[in-house]
Amino acid sequence: ARAPHVRRWGASVGRAPGLAAPMRSLGADVELPAPLAAELVREYGDLLRVGRLRVNARVVAWEVGGTIEAQLERFVGAALAALQREPETRGLRLTTLRRCVYWICKALSINYVLMDVLHAIRDRAGVFCTIEGSEDAKSIRYSLDVLPGPVFRVSVAWLQADNIVYRDPRTAERRVKGTLSSIEAEFTAPPDIGVAPTYLLQLEFKRSMASKIFSTIACSDTCSEREGAPSAMLVTPTTALRTGVEEGPPCLAQVCDLFALLPLPCRGTRSSRAQR
């Protein structure tokens, strides 16, 4: 069963703009390991339904119709092709690139960092808020910058203001507390095991009426009245981006490499036994 919160963020129906026809089956070369694919579908699939990702300012698009498993396959194919075009990733093996697609999708998922963002906003706003607009694919933009290293810079930008909202649990009254403009983080490829990237939040909180009155009195004619000042916050998710399960069981080549390191038996032992 799919988690309900995955469907709530970034839901979209139909085909991403710019795609003329459905993509064919992409084959084994772009398939993610089964545990990673299942985790993206179950927990971090909000990007899959959007159908668009800006990679170094170039829009990469994939079809978003059909099942989420089909969306994942098309996303992996499109993202992998985009990464292979970048000169910074030419030194990475195909197996590493496939896992990079998994880490990018996970790092761009609002579900990965959502609770930590909401707790940080609560500490500033004084109440527990929600972020509105993330369910609308037209109101949110996902971006990836491939930097030398290689280093991946991921960002999610909200295009509509007043999306930090508090609802009174007794009256259901909606109160706008501010605007979350974007979240951004960087990590190396591949990231370190057990480490979570730190996200930079760009946001603006609305001031209370009492704060506005006090500011007006204190500033007099020397200050310009502003609704709120942009600010930045740092948030680190509680879950590591790379947990170690991405490596999976050792493949046949790794097993052969391991046996190649073992000492060979004495060649004369078998022949001497045969002579006996």
Side-chain angles (χ1 to χ4, degrees), residues 1 7 9-10 13 15 19 26 32 38 43 145 172 185 191 195 200 206 211 219 222 229 232 236 242 253 260:
R7 292 194 298 268
W9 297 93
V13 178
R15 181 177 301 170
L19 292 182
L26 298 168
L32 290 179
E43 298 290 341
D145 293 322
V195 177
L200 174 65
K206 289 185 176 293
S211 175
C219 291
T222 62
T236 302
R242 180 185 177 190

Side-chain angles (χ1 to χ4, degrees), residues 187-271:
F187 59 92
T188 58
D192 295 330
I193 296 179
V195 177
T198 297
Y199 286 77
L200 174 65
L201 279 59
Q202 298 290 349
L203 67 175
E204 178 180 326
F205 289 100
K206 289 185 176 293
R207 295 184 299 171
S208 64
M209 183 60 66
S211 175
K212 294 178 183 179
I213 295 175
F214 177 80
S215 177
T216 302
I217 296 175
C219 291
S220 186
D221 295 332
T222 62
C223 297
S224 58
E225 181 67 16
R226 294 186 299 172
E227 177 64 24
S231 61
M233 299 173 61
L234 297 177
V235 171
T236 302
T238 54
T239 304
L241 185 60
R242 180 185 177 190
T243 61
V245 300
E246 299 91 340
E247 320 312 319
C251 63
L252 180 60
Q254 292 172 322
V255 174
C256 293
D257 291 342
L258 177 62
F259 275 100
L261 298 176
L262 298 178
L264 294 174
C266 179
R267 294 184 178 180
T269 303
R270 185 173 182 180
S271 60

Side-chain angles (χ1 to χ4, degrees), residues 1 7 14 31 41 45 67 70 80 89-90 93 121 127-128 146 149-150 153 186 202 212 225 227 240 251:
R7 292 194 298 268
E31 288 181 358
V41 168
T67 65
L80 189 59
T89 63
R90 289 175 182 170
R93 300 174 60 182
I121 291 176
V127 290
F128 200 83
V146 183
R153 178 192 295 147
E186 294 183 2
Q202 298 290 349
K212 294 178 183 179
E225 181 67 16
E227 177 64 24
C251 63

Side-chain angles (χ1 to χ4, degrees), residues 57-155:
R58 178 188 298 175
V59 176
V60 176
W62 60 93
E63 185 183 342
V64 294
T67 65
I68 188 172
E69 291 80 9
Q71 295 169 5
L72 173 62
E73 183 184 25
R74 292 188 289 263
F75 161 73
V76 173
L80 189 59
L83 290 179
Q84 290 175 322
R85 286 194 296 264
E86 299 300 328
E88 289 80 5
T89 63
R90 289 175 182 170
L92 299 180
R93 300 174 60 182
L94 180 59
T95 54
T96 303
L97 278 178
R98 284 199 294 256
R99 286 167 172 79
C100 285
V101 172
Y102 160 80
W103 291 315
I104 290 168
C105 189
K106 182 177 178 179
L108 281 170
S109 173
I110 192 65
N111 291 328
Y112 173 62
V113 71
L114 173 63
M115 290 308 301
D116 303 281
V117 169
L118 294 182
H119 283 297
I121 291 176
R122 181 194 60 184
D123 294 341
R124 289 288 300 272
V127 290
F128 200 83
C129 301
T130 59
I131 309 300
E132 293 187 348
S134 298
E135 69 280 358
D136 184 3
K138 297 180 180 180
S139 301
I140 194 167
R141 183 176 64 233
Y142 294 88
S143 301
L144 166 68
D145 293 322
V146 183
L147 308 176
V151 172
F152 293 148
R153 178 192 295 147
V154 295
S155 64

